[in-house]
Amino acid sequence: MSALNKRSRIVTQGVQRSPNRAMLRAVGFKDTDFRKPIIGIANGYSTITPCNLGLNDLTKRAEAAAKKAGAMPQTFGTITVSDGISMGTEGMKYSLVSREVIADSIETAVQAQSMDGVVVIGGCDKNMPGALIALGRMNIPAIFVYGGTIKPGHYQGKDLTVVSSFEAVGEYTAGKISREHMLGVERRACPGAGSCGGMFTANTMSSAIEAMGMSLPYSSTMAAEDREKHNSAAESAAVLVSAIKKQLLPRDIITRKSMENAIAVVMAVGGSTNAVLHLLAIAHAAQVPLTIDDFETIRGRVPVLCDLKPSGRYVATDLHQAGGIPQVMKILLEHDVLHADCMTITGRTVGQLLKGVPARPPRNQDVIRQWENPMYPHGHLAILKGNLATEGAVAKITGLKNPQITGPARVFDSEEACMAAILAKQINSGDVIVIRYEGPRGGPGMREMLSPTSALVGEGHIGDVGLITDGRFSGGTYGIVVGHVAPEAAVGGTIALIKEGDSITIDAGRRLLQLNVADEELARRRAAWQPPAPRYTRGVMAKYAKLVSTASKGAVTD
């Protein structure tokens, strides 16, 4: 029996499966369809968030293209939650949890129905890693279709993103802008469908997935509302049918080399800290050996080439016009920091796909810099270690001339307590904020700290206040900030032992995160420490807290 027929058990096992065939007839199968490959289309459409608002249209294009290519598509839904809407609330704890729910739901539907391949169409931050985790686990022919990026908003001559609205709150609190100005930004920041416009987590992960070969070239930076995005969805379905015939599998594509390509691109575009967490989780699902230290190794040989928000000037649609991810990859390839022999879902290698791309970016733009004139000489996601993070922590150091600080700890056991102190102007220049018990297990769910970091930026504390947390940061965060501190507070990591006023050093240059307290004193504090009671005792959050791993291993649950 062929590999295809081994999977399509429902449609190939003859008379004994006729009841199953009868049900398929009810959803549109004809006699001639029972030998065609069944393609699942995992549709993340919702009106919860603009990121996923346009996915139904992409799903319809993919369905039509799959049928034209000789397959039978079956559509099913996956969930999404909006990080931007839940940011700063208890609901944000469900964000990272949703990555696992998405992965589990795709795996469940595809495996239960013995599908031959799957197109996953997603938009918001966790749609993408959730999809790739599922595809790595199942290892059947698959392709990812990104819903596309939002176009920038505009106000008083400036391009806006959703982060502009968060920062405007801090500016208003500091008395720098009027209430009318703040509302003017909020009303114009998100003008339509698509994922957050800067090189935040959604665009970072779409870029990484394109770089590793699991989506089509140029697809990761297209605008959600443009016709080319619809055409790309149709082309993706046709490419998947070809991959099914060739039995080209995700683990043929998601390899150690392709993961290194993805990391290199994340560094070059100035991507989100969340890429570290998600790429580790994807590697785990695909059984690829990858550690948090590998990010530091690759950072040392890849410069930041793109001038993109949050710390830069441009948005993803500008990157697309300048040549997109293929242009970035070609520059990296020309300087021997990209693997050309990696296979992609198209059936061609990275080197073959990039053959016609110019070796240098266009000179009539400054979104993508020349190799000799980068934004920063080395990657921007630094892995810090020290007695505060023996397993590692992630610092994003773009937008800073001197990413280091030593100062007194300002300790908060929740994001809300910290935010209240910032808005009450209780944070001073030179302070190092500690937000703890927000890790994968302790939160649970590892909330993103965009509200406090944006408020700090809005108040003018970009480079004179540090912040460390066992939680995460939005892709829109920048400053002297360190997240993913591991071990986390809830399991007795050193971050749990910090007291108000303790001296803390953040030094990205030395890759150091240090609590400047004597070992003997730390031992006394550790002996007296007691784990807190779990915040949730039932439901999905309780289950997640019991299963989730440390952030340094991707916060995986299997």
Side-chain angles (χ1 to χ4, degrees), residues 8 15 48 54 57 80 111 157 166 266 285 290 308 355 389 438 452 458 508 516 519:
S8 286
V15 175
I48 290 174
D57 292 335
T80 196
Q111 298 291 60
F166 284 90
V266 167
L290 190 73
L308 296 169
K355 189 173 181 180
E438 292 283 8
N516 303 311
D519 291 344

Side-chain angles (χ1 to χ4, degrees), residues 274-295:
N274 283 310
V276 178
L277 194 76
H278 297 325
L279 291 176
L280 286 170
I282 292 166
H284 172 81
Q287 301 180 8
V288 173
L290 190 73
T291 72
I292 194 170
D293 295 319
D294 293 321
F295 288 81

Side-chain angles (χ1 to χ4, degrees), residues 41 43 45 54-68 73 75 121 230 233-234 237:
I41 300 181
N43 179 9
Y45 165 76
L55 301 192
N56 251 357
D57 292 335
L58 302 185
T59 297
K60 291 175 183 177
R61 288 298 305 274
E63 283 179 332
K67 288 181 179 179
K68 185 176 181 180
T75 299
I121 303 177
H230 292 240

